Amino acid sequence: MTGAFRSRHRGETHVFGDLKTLMACASPRRSGDELAGVAAASATRRVAARMALADVPLRRFLDEPLIPYESDEVTRLILDSHDAAAFAPVAALTVGELREWLMSWEADAERLAALAPGLTPEMVAAVSKLCGNGDLIAIAAKCRVVTRFRSTIGLHGRLASRLQPNDPTDDPLAIAAGTLDGLLYGMGDAVIGINPATDNVDACIRLLTMLDQLRLKFEVPTQSCVLSHVTTSIQAIEKGAPLDLVFQSIAGTEAANAGFGVTLAVLAEAQDAALSLKRGTVGNNVMYFETGQGAALSADAHHGLDQQTVEARAYAVARAFSPLLVNTVVGFIGPEYLYDAKEIIRAGLEDHFCAKLLGVPMGCDVCYTNHAEADQDDMDDLALLLAVANVNFLIAVPGADDIMLNYQSLSHHDVMRLRHVLGRRPAPEFEAWLAGMGLLDDSGRVPPLPGSAPAVARLIGQGARP
């Protein structure tokens, strides 16, 4: 079934030529869609598009791919891996009816997990366009996506963190110092992940080796990752590097992934290589992916889709490889795609909502660039909203200022505050380690410690020694 969609609003009839046009016009306003020329021309037309979208049967997204099956391997992945049995309970619903069901009492964590393989990215993107921010939080908060390597991420009542000790010169000593500083704040249970300044095999192996030695020295139950290109990680594995997780940025179309230098086949090769090392102790989720609204548009590979829908398609790529972690870098790509705090906050909630509904272990780098109309208070707001929505993990850097990538994120203090305010705890294995190190008080919080405290003396005093 194909054809135009019509909706009448405030005495005016609006016509949308096809499903991708309807989806784009129904999206909340954002600069990237306006840059691409796919956004609704007025708020009235946006409302009319949402009214029409609410009546679209979910099955139509299976019958009418937004990007042709023949020309895009991500479309083929989405359709070929669709689980008809999981989809059956909602197969007769429209987009609007799915929203109502997701908000219902019956849609609990168990039913949502069973439904996830039956949903496609386009379906969850469509329903997100009908949701207010509160709806996005309430529905996502019911989802549980649990993954494991040396720590368990995504359990109820937990908030994990990525410790990001970047250094502009890849100095191992500086990165080690940043890592120890973060551990003192209880950071790093999701991953200790470094964005390297240079992407070459020797530098990658040097950093992986340093992090592994540090982890073993203090018996930290977490995983490390150097965020090099996937092909660099494969070469590092072939040379015997102690690699825990394979990282790669991904997007929602074959062409955009080509811009990142990857295909689904390359990702599968990397997953197999990492699995062969058998380094996980409580699980074998070995992949770590990063996404972000605007990636496909910036590569001129969006096929006329709105940026939120094409972003959701990236989660189908991630889902195929059972990752330990996925995070959106919402706000990182710049104001050309998300203009201000309102757009960044909305996009962060959409990304988390769509990923969780698809069964993807979503975290977030709550961030902005210095030329965006946003500030640190806005990041505090988004971080709090995501934590209430049960985001799997957040990323933190010292002082919230990434001196290597030159953008603003969250600080160690921000994540620790969220844990304390909301009663969220670290991953259980990491929490036990913090307690054993003397870094938790009797209520499970990370207290301020004097420099003479045994835990501080042990980590800082011994950390840099060979």
Side-chain angles (χ1 to χ4, degrees), residues 382-450:
L382 178 55
L384 178 60
L385 295 173
L386 286 169
V388 171
N390 287 328
V391 69
N392 276 31
F393 71 101
L394 295 171
I395 295 177
V397 300
D401 181 19
D402 191 309
I403 59 173
M404 201 283 280
L405 293 174
N406 198 26
Y407 76 111
Q408 310 304 311
S409 181
L410 298 178
S411 72
H412 303 324
H413 301 75
D414 294 329
V415 176
M416 186 170 66
R417 178 177 59 204
L418 287 171
R419 284 174 171 165
H420 291 176
V421 168
L422 299 176
R424 299 288 196 271
R425 296 151 58 193
E429 300 85 355
F430 194 81
E431 182 182 36
W433 177 80
L434 288 172
M437 289 289 292
L439 291 170
L440 295 182
D441 65 14
D442 293 340
S443 61
R445 306 194 312 170
V446 176
L449 295 172

Side-chain angles (χ1 to χ4, degrees), residues 22-298:
L22 181 66
M23 292 277 279
C25 288
S27 283
R29 182 179 181 182
R30 64 200 49 185
S31 54
D33 290 337
E34 292 176 345
L35 178 66
V38 301
S42 67
T44 299
R45 183 167 172 79
R46 183 171 297 114
V47 171
R50 291 175 183 170
M51 294 169 65
L53 182 60
D55 292 332
V56 173
L58 294 176
R59 283 192 179 279
R60 186 153 182 175
F61 292 99
L62 299 174
D63 299 334
E64 193 175 330
L66 300 186
I67 300 175
Y69 181 93
E70 297 75 14
S71 60
D72 185 89
E73 68 171 2
V74 177
T75 298
R76 293 194 289 276
L77 171 70
I78 292 168
L79 295 179
D80 293 348
S81 62
H82 182 249
D83 187 330
F87 179 60
V90 299
L93 302 185
T94 63
V95 175
E97 290 168 340
L98 176 61
R99 176 190 173 277
E100 296 305 308
W101 183 81
L102 292 171
M103 294 289 291
S104 72
W105 192 262
E106 290 72 25
D108 57 16
E110 183 177 348
R111 289 187 175 91
L112 290 171
L115 175 63
L119 296 177
T120 69
E122 291 82 0
M123 293 176 191
V124 299
V127 77
S128 78
K129 299 175 194 302
L130 305 185
C131 290
N133 286 2
D135 302 336
L136 297 176
I137 293 169
I139 295 169
K142 296 192 287 187
C143 297
R144 294 281 177 273
V145 184
V146 179
T147 55
R148 297 175 176 85
F149 191 77
R150 290 194 192 94
S151 57
T152 305
I153 312 299
L155 293 170
H156 177 68
R158 307 278 176 171
L159 174 60
S161 62
R162 170 183 158 191
L163 171 53
Q164 184 173 295
N166 292 343
D167 180 78
T169 64
D170 284 346
D171 180 357
L173 192 58
I175 291 172
T179 301
L180 295 169
D181 176 62
L183 290 173
L184 286 170
Y185 289 99
M187 300 296 104
D189 47 339
V191 65
I192 301 171
I194 302 168
N195 296 92
T198 59
D199 193 330
N200 65 71
V201 178
D202 291 338
C204 176
I205 292 175
R206 184 163 56 250
L207 293 177
L208 285 170
T209 301
M210 181 276 293
L211 286 176
D212 200 52
Q213 291 173 344
L214 200 64
R215 179 186 65 80
L216 291 171
K217 184 172 187 175
F218 294 105
E219 300 178 316
V220 189
T222 190
Q223 36 284 330
S224 63
C225 183
V226 175
L227 282 67
S228 298
H229 192 265
V230 64
T231 53
T232 302
S233 295
I234 292 173
Q235 293 178 66
I237 292 172
E238 291 171 347
K239 290 191 172 187
L243 185 146
D244 292 337
L245 305 180
V246 171
F247 169 83
Q248 183 55 49
S249 295
I250 56 172
T253 71
E254 179 179 339
N257 283 327
F260 286 130
V262 297
T263 63
L264 299 180
V266 169
L267 295 176
E269 178 185 353
Q271 183 186 29
D272 288 343
L275 285 171
S276 72
L277 299 178
K278 296 181 170 53
R279 290 176 58 82
T281 54
V282 298
N284 61 356
N285 300 110
V286 297
M287 302 299 284
Y288 176 15
F289 294 117
E290 194 162 82
T291 71
Q293 289 195 28
L297 175 58
S298 66

